Amino acid sequence: MLKVKGIKRGQSIELLEELNIPDGIEITIEVAMTSSLSEQERLTRLNQIFGAWKNQPALDQTFAEIDSERHAYQGRVIEPIDD
């Protein structure tokens, strides 16, 4: 059984993932509604991931390298146009 998420819009269901089945194939869809998380549930999930990167000594170096690459000069020399 293949499980794919989607969003209902009017009488259509927009799939959030690619289906690798040929066009014209008859399919059966089982609908299960998922509700949005409450504010408390979202906060609980966020609290679970806070600090997930702590105690990783290479993290500061990794972000320093990313910052250095982002701010490195990436320009090019433009040749003057002489008539």
Side-chain angles (χ1 to χ4, degrees), residues 61-71:
Q61 180 182 350
T62 301
F63 279 107
E65 290 172 10
I66 292 170
D67 188 59
S68 176
E69 290 173 8
R70 288 184 65 206
H71 293 94

Side-chain angles (χ1 to χ4, degrees), residues 39-80:
E39 189 171 330
Q40 183 59 44
E41 290 169 321
R42 275 193 301 259
L43 183 58
T44 300
R45 286 189 179 187
L46 282 173
N47 283 328
Q48 290 171 346
I49 62 170
F50 287 153
W53 288 0
K54 71 180 178 183
N55 299 327
Q56 294 189 20
L59 194 60
D60 288 337
Q61 180 182 350
T62 301
F63 279 107
E65 290 172 10
I66 292 170
D67 188 59
S68 176
E69 290 173 8
R70 288 184 65 206
H71 293 94
Y73 178 69
Q74 299 291 323
R76 62 184 174 95
V77 176
I78 298 175
E79 300 294 327

Side-chain angles (χ1 to χ4, degrees), residues 5-6 10-11 19-21 26 33 38 46 57-58 60-61 75 81:
K5 291 185 178 183
Q11 292 298 312
L19 280 182
N20 293 320
I21 57 174
E26 183 176 320
M33 294 188 319
S38 71
L46 282 173
D60 288 337
Q61 180 182 350
I81 300 175

